[in-house]
Amino acid sequence: MPKAQVTLTPEESKRLIARAVARLPEVRSALRRGTVVICLGTTNAHVVEEITGRPVDRRRFAAGVVLPRGTCVTPREDRLREVVLVRGKRVEAGLDDVLPRLGPRDVVIKGANALDPSWTAGVFLASETGGTVGRMIGTVMARGVRLVIPVGLEKLVPGPIREVAAEAGIHVFQHATGVPVGLIPISGKVITEIEAVEILTGARAMAMG
């Protein structure tokens, strides 16, 4: 069986993952007869473009970013809003507007900041009340809303995220490079480059280096 070795930049990986997310059966079903919420995030900016076919200002489609100066929060006035699609059409609403109505036929797409070897995803929390995850995770998990987690392998970490999360917290750190953050594990369908290759081509992929 032929094999290929492929090198991807983080930006190329984000686009690959986004194309796979747009092809997921649960996402396509929700676009036909339910609601899809695409939360802010650098990978999710590509997801928005793949699903809607329209460009988005990727610098503003993020609540927080990790830069050379550390963990940073995007000023609220500079951020775009989450993208909400009801039966495939974008509506002027945000997560808080549709959250009370979400159910098992609906999908929330939320990126992650970390991924451990057990494929547990983790999200940084720079808000005192947990930000987007704090607002939605209880409702999503209680109602069986489909949670899709696009995350590149560049965010793979060696240790168990649940153990790291127990040691983190905004008020735990006395010093921080950038803004101090907490970390929360989240459960859902993780889509990395590995799953993306299989979804888009049927081929089996492995991370090589």
Side-chain angles (χ1 to χ4, degrees):
M1 184 176 294
K3 295 181 179 181
Q5 176 188 309
V6 179
T7 301
L8 297 170
T9 66
E11 201 68 12
E12 290 168 341
S13 287
K14 292 174 194 287
R15 179 61 67 179
L16 176 71
I17 291 167
R19 287 185 179 174
V21 168
R23 293 270 194 93
L24 286 173
E26 54 266 52
V27 171
R28 298 177 80 162
S29 175
L31 287 170
R32 288 194 303 270
R33 57 193 185 92
T35 298
V36 174
V37 180
I38 309 172
C39 300
L40 298 183
T42 55
T43 303
N44 275 0
H46 290 268
V47 174
V48 171
E49 293 179 346
E50 288 296 323
I51 289 178
T52 67
R54 295 182 180 181
V56 65
D57 187 340
R58 298 175 201 160
R59 294 173 301 173
R60 297 178 60 205
F61 200 78
V65 291
V66 181
L67 301 174
R69 64 177 181 269
T71 43
C72 302
V73 176
T74 306
R76 191 169 296 276
E77 61 272 17
D78 293 339
R79 299 179 204 167
L80 296 176
R81 204 177 192 186
E82 304 100 349
V83 168
V84 178
L85 300 121
V86 178
R87 294 185 178 86
K89 294 184 178 180
R90 187 167 179 175
V91 297
E92 289 300 320
L95 174 63
D96 294 334
D97 301 315
V98 299
L99 189 59
R101 303 194 298 272
L102 296 182
R105 71 168 58 184
D106 305 312
V107 172
V108 172
I109 302 171
K110 175 76 181 84
N113 301 102
L115 182 71
D116 72 17
S118 72
W119 251 227
T120 297
V123 175
F124 289 158
L125 306 173
S127 165
E128 297 275 354
T129 54
T132 301
V133 172
R135 283 153 47 207
M136 65 87 169
I137 198 66
T139 300
V140 166
M141 300 307 292
R143 297 185 180 181
V145 179
R146 305 293 185 91
L147 181 61
V148 174
I149 307 168
V151 55
L153 292 173
E154 61 168 319
K155 296 176 181 175
L156 195 64
V157 298
I161 282 178
R162 296 186 189 282
E163 291 183 15
V164 179
E167 297 293 331
I170 293 172
H171 299 294
V172 168
F173 301 113
Q174 286 72 51
H175 303 282
T177 305
V179 177
V181 298
L183 177 68
I184 185 171
I186 59 173
S187 299
K189 177 173 278 192
V190 171
I191 305 295
T192 71
E193 294 91 332
I194 291 172
E195 289 79 15
V197 167
E198 184 173 356
I199 290 166
L200 294 171
T201 71
R204 184 173 70 95
M206 301 175 70
M208 185 172 168

